[in-house]
Amino acid sequence: MRVIGTAGHVDHGKSTLVEALSGINPDRLAEEQRRGLTIDLGFAWAELPNGETLGIVDVPGHRDFIGNMLAGIGGIDAALLVIAADEGIMPQTREHLSILRLLEISRLIVVISKVDLSEDAEWLELVRMEIEDLLAESGIENAPIVPVSAQTGAGIAQLLDELSGLLGGMPERGDRGQPRLPIDRVFVVSGFGTVVTGTLTGGSLSVGDALIVQPGGLSGRVRGLQSYQRDVQTALPGSRVAVNIAGLSNAKIKRGDVLARPGRLQPTLLADAHFTMLADVERPLAHNAEVKFFCGAAESLARLRLLDADSLAAGESGWLQIRLRETLPLTRGDRFILRVPSPAQTVGGGVIVNSQPGRRYRRMQPQVIAELEARLHGSAGEQLAMAARSRAPQTFADLAAQLELDNQEMNVALAEALAAQLVHDLPGLGIWSRDSWRELVKGIHAELGRFHSANPLRLGMSRAELGSRLRVKLNLLDAVIDAEASLLIDGVFVRSQSHDIRFSSEQEARIDSLMAALAAAPFSPPTISEMNDLAGEDVVRALLDLRRLVQVSDSIAFAAGDYAKLMAGIRAHIEAHGEIDAKTLRDQFGSSRKYAIPVLERLDAQGITRRVGDMRVPGANF
């Protein structure tokens, strides 16, 4: 299914032409019919000679209603530019043509309407020549020019044939599984409730589907669907659709909102964009200018930050960060139009390259511009790598939605990015860019460097502390450390591969004294406090980190070899007798309950033993 828009000046007979094509008067408002003036969007449909149903969006031509025109023109496949034979090209005709070019709507038929009002063949030829000059100036070649009269029917059949030919060679809009419906009309049907209309893109929508309205995050469900006044169970991308929404009041929805599946579309206040000024704009666009921003069916006031220039003159292009006055649900690849409020005029348009930049860029930064250029012009793999730059890995589905790729396209992009080593595909975590990975590695080394410098006798920083400082989840931290040869996980510690604990000769002497004291009473050792007095607290902590000492409670630790003997003895006794108690452990090793009970409690905590009354029996980890 295809959708076209009708554009042109207010008096050029667009609505009459639509009615001649479809039998439907698109001017549904009483004021429109009284004044003969299209004020809001009108909708109709027609059958083409090839049997295809064609959706028609009739947009206002008057400059006072250009905002309404922009709300309806974004989702169309082609346009009819209507120029009246008795008036010729008007300023609004030029603006509408400029908007079509900025939105990259290149399929165009020019309709010379009201030919019944002009019987002068020479005048009609002059109008045609003027139109050909305008098309040439606009870089549009071979656009058909069709004279018609909606009153007599002259040329209507030829126009329908031209539409069939123009649209027949177009590929079908892909179903990427990510439906989006920019809402251009909201109303209530008695007995059914809220209904919204729009042109569906990105994927199909079915009765019963859960959906969300952005911005605002309102949840609902598809109760019913109509396409061209026919009830359907599934609406296809590229068609005009009316959606009956269950669970939402029409008072909470407005034109410009977007229907999507939950989790697939996030509103934003900030967006990166490439922008081109129209060639006939009189005044340059300055940094920090306030404009009206139009995208899909939405509009918002916005403030512009020019990233690579202080101003843009007519015909120039540049990079913008757009700061919106209100959140809008934008995605990469969305086309937009900018207008200045005084004097009101269209100044240019462009494309969103990143709808979630997450930060305000410094201006005139070559690296920033290079990254934006890569987002706009890069290969599929490079685009994926850019999208995967984030604080944490993203899922395949989320990245596909962000890039508006179907599964097959996403697989191709992922294969290319992996082959070029632009991303990491982390099992159980998601897809993450090489640059984000490197930034985390750099951050880990910086934190560990500071820690090792301040604590030379500590083996490393705890994983939990490092993850907290870097604000990264431990499973991602572990994945990065495991893959980096310069980083080591040593028990519960993370350290740089180059870091080792080195004791001074004086500290070594104190360690010798401590080890002698432990050897003298291996199973009734000095308390940790007494060890600190003998060797120094920092040295004892280092010996614990190095696992030369094993701590079993807040106050008790054993030499590692002596603790291993305790474990072997306990395991042998349990294997022989099925159980052990503190008294047996005390007597077997010539110790006391002061030491035996903490040892057994540690084994209970580790699941090596399990307490039954006063006895310990094998635990799950025995």
Side-chain angles (χ1 to χ4, degrees):
M1 297 181 180
R2 304 297 180 192
V3 179
I4 65 166
T6 60
H9 191 259
V10 61
D11 295 324
H12 286 185
K14 294 185 292 78
S15 298
T16 307
L17 174 64
V18 171
E19 188 168 6
L21 289 171
S22 66
I24 300 169
N25 183 356
D27 290 338
R28 52 190 170 78
L29 303 179
E31 183 180 358
E32 291 178 317
Q33 297 179 17
R34 177 176 58 82
R35 296 172 61 184
L37 171 69
T38 300
I39 297 172
D40 203 354
L41 300 176
F43 307 101
W45 61 94
E47 293 294 327
L48 294 176
N50 61 9
E52 183 177 0
T53 300
L54 176 69
I56 303 173
V57 181
D58 185 34
V59 302
H62 197 286
R63 63 186 178 185
D64 290 346
F65 306 118
I66 195 72
N68 289 344
M69 179 266 187
L70 289 166
I73 208 74
I76 64 174
D77 297 296
L80 299 181
L81 185 65
V82 183
I83 300 172
D86 57 338
E87 292 188 350
I89 294 171
M90 304 293 284
Q92 208 66 32
T93 310
R94 296 180 180 274
E95 182 170 20
H96 282 202
L97 182 58
S98 295
I99 289 170
L100 292 172
R101 289 175 54 219
L102 291 169
L103 294 176
E104 292 192 341
I105 300 168
S106 58
R107 289 178 171 83
L108 177 72
I109 296 175
V110 180
V111 178
I112 302 177
S113 66
K114 302 183 180 180
V115 294
D116 56 294
L117 299 182
S118 178
E119 298 179 357
D120 186 338
E122 290 186 3
W123 171 254
L124 287 177
E125 183 60 25
L126 286 173
V127 171
R128 175 183 285 272
M129 292 172 60
E130 186 182 20
I131 292 170
E132 289 173 346
D133 289 343
L134 175 62
L135 294 176
E137 292 170 11
S138 303
I140 300 173
E141 298 179 358
N142 303 320
I145 302 173
V146 183
V148 303
S149 169
Q151 298 297 329
T152 67
I156 295 297
Q158 180 190 352
L159 179 56
L160 288 170
D161 285 338
E162 291 284 359
L163 281 168
S164 293
L166 183 69
L167 300 175
M170 288 183 63
E172 292 295 329
R173 294 204 190 188
D175 188 340
R176 295 183 167 90
Q178 300 153 20
R180 283 202 302 160
L181 187 83
I183 296 171
D184 50 37
R185 189 179 173 209
V186 185
F187 54 95
V188 174
V189 176
S190 179
F192 292 91
T194 301
V195 176
V196 302
T197 67
T199 301
L200 184 62
T201 64
S204 58
L205 201 60
S206 297
V207 173
D209 281 354
L211 47 78
I212 195 165
V213 180
Q214 295 286 21
L218 302 172
S219 298
R221 180 178 53 81
V222 179
R223 175 184 288 159
L225 292 168
Q226 278 195 351
S227 186
Y228 309 117
Q229 284 200 335
R230 292 192 295 267
D231 291 335
V232 294
Q233 287 298 303
T234 298
L236 301 177
S239 58
R240 289 289 306 172
V241 181
V243 185
N244 180 203
I245 305 176
L248 281 178
S249 164
N250 68 302
K252 297 180 178 180
I253 308 173
K254 65 182 184 303
R255 172 180 287 176
D257 289 349
V258 179
L259 285 186
R261 287 190 180 146
R264 287 289 182 259
L265 188 63
Q266 297 300 323
T268 185
L269 282 171
L270 193 66
D272 302 337
H274 190 259
F275 174 77
T276 299
M277 292 280 284
L278 289 175
D280 57 355
V281 175
E282 295 179 359
R283 292 187 302 173
L285 185 68
H287 170 66
N288 215 33
E290 186 172 70
V291 297
K292 281 189 174 182
F293 173 88
F294 297 85
C295 186
E299 70 173 276
S300 171
L301 288 175
R303 184 77 63 179
L304 303 180
R305 300 188 70 247
L306 304 189
L307 297 178
D308 57 351
D310 290 320
S311 65
L312 291 175
E316 292 184 336
S317 297
W319 289 100
L320 310 177
Q321 264 201 320
I322 302 168
R323 179 75 180 186
L324 299 166
R325 179 75 63 85
E326 56 186 290
T327 58
L328 294 180
L330 306 178
T331 63
R332 173 187 169 276
D334 285 347
R335 306 294 307 185
F336 66 89
I337 298 293
L338 297 184
R339 287 173 58 82
V340 293
S342 180
Q345 62 175 319
T346 300
V347 293
V351 60
I352 302 296
V353 299
N354 187 6
S355 64
Q356 303 287 338
R359 64 187 177 94
R360 182 175 178 267
Y361 304 134
R362 291 178 59 194
R363 300 176 63 227
M364 311 300 181
Q365 298 297 305
Q367 181 180 353
V368 170
I369 302 305
E371 290 179 358
L372 292 172
E373 290 283 355
R375 285 184 180 272
L376 180 62
H377 299 298
S379 66
E382 290 168 339
Q383 300 277 4
L384 173 59
M386 286 290 180
R389 291 188 63 177
S390 54
R391 288 198 59 83
Q394 301 178 63
T395 66
F396 182 98
D398 285 344
L399 285 169
Q402 183 179 340
L403 294 168
E404 294 203 322
L405 301 177
D406 61 28
N407 285 347
Q408 182 178 354
E409 293 167 331
M410 180 65 182
N411 279 319
V412 170
L414 179 57
E416 179 187 324
L418 288 171
Q421 297 183 339
L422 297 176
V423 299
H424 297 268
D425 192 1
L426 305 174
L429 294 174
I431 300 164
W432 210 31
S433 78
R434 175 191 61 192
D435 292 341
S436 296
W437 176 288
R438 288 176 174 174
E439 286 174 10
L440 179 55
V441 171
K442 182 179 177 181
I444 292 171
H445 278 298
E447 288 292 343
L448 290 179
R450 286 188 287 268
F451 184 87
H452 291 327
S453 178
N455 304 277
L457 293 185
R458 293 299 305 275
L459 185 61
M461 183 185 296
S462 76
R463 290 169 56 253
E465 182 181 359
L466 181 59
S468 176
R469 289 192 181 186
L470 294 169
R471 292 185 293 176
V472 62
K473 291 184 178 180
L474 292 183
N475 55 357
L476 176 58
L477 185 68
D478 290 346
V480 171
I481 293 170
D482 285 343
E484 293 290 330
S486 60
L487 298 170
L488 294 174
I489 293 181
D490 201 333
V492 297
F493 300 110
V494 180
R495 65 182 177 92
S496 297
Q497 191 273 339
S498 59
H499 174 72
D500 285 313
I501 294 176
R502 295 180 177 86
F503 296 111
S504 67
S505 57
E506 186 270 334
Q507 290 167 336
E508 289 285 5
R510 284 190 269 147
I511 292 171
D512 290 342
S513 297
L514 173 59
M515 291 305 171
L518 289 169
F523 305 114
S524 300
T527 65
I528 290 177
S529 177
E530 292 168 338
M531 292 183 191
N532 291 341
D533 292 338
L534 282 169
E537 185 175 351
D538 56 345
V539 171
V540 172
R541 180 72 262 175
L543 294 174
L544 288 167
D545 287 355
L546 291 168
R547 293 188 288 281
R548 291 174 65 180
L549 296 176
V550 178
Q551 186 171 356
V552 298
S553 72
D554 290 342
S555 60
I556 296 172
F558 294 86
D562 298 331
Y563 185 76
K565 292 176 183 178
L566 275 173
M567 294 304 98
I570 292 169
R571 183 176 294 275
H573 191 280
I574 292 177
E575 287 174 347
H577 302 283
E579 60 187 14
I580 194 171
D581 62 5
K583 180 178 182 298
T584 302
L585 179 60
R586 177 198 68 186
D587 294 344
Q588 182 175 344
F589 287 93
S591 184
S592 69
R593 290 177 60 84
K594 171 184 174 181
Y595 298 96
I597 289 177
V599 169
L600 293 175
E601 288 177 344
R602 185 172 191 262
L603 295 181
D604 292 343
Q606 293 174 328
I608 295 172
T609 58
R610 179 170 57 88
R611 182 172 180 175
V612 179
D614 291 333
M615 306 303 294
R616 262 66 179 193
V617 298
N621 299 324
F622 184 77

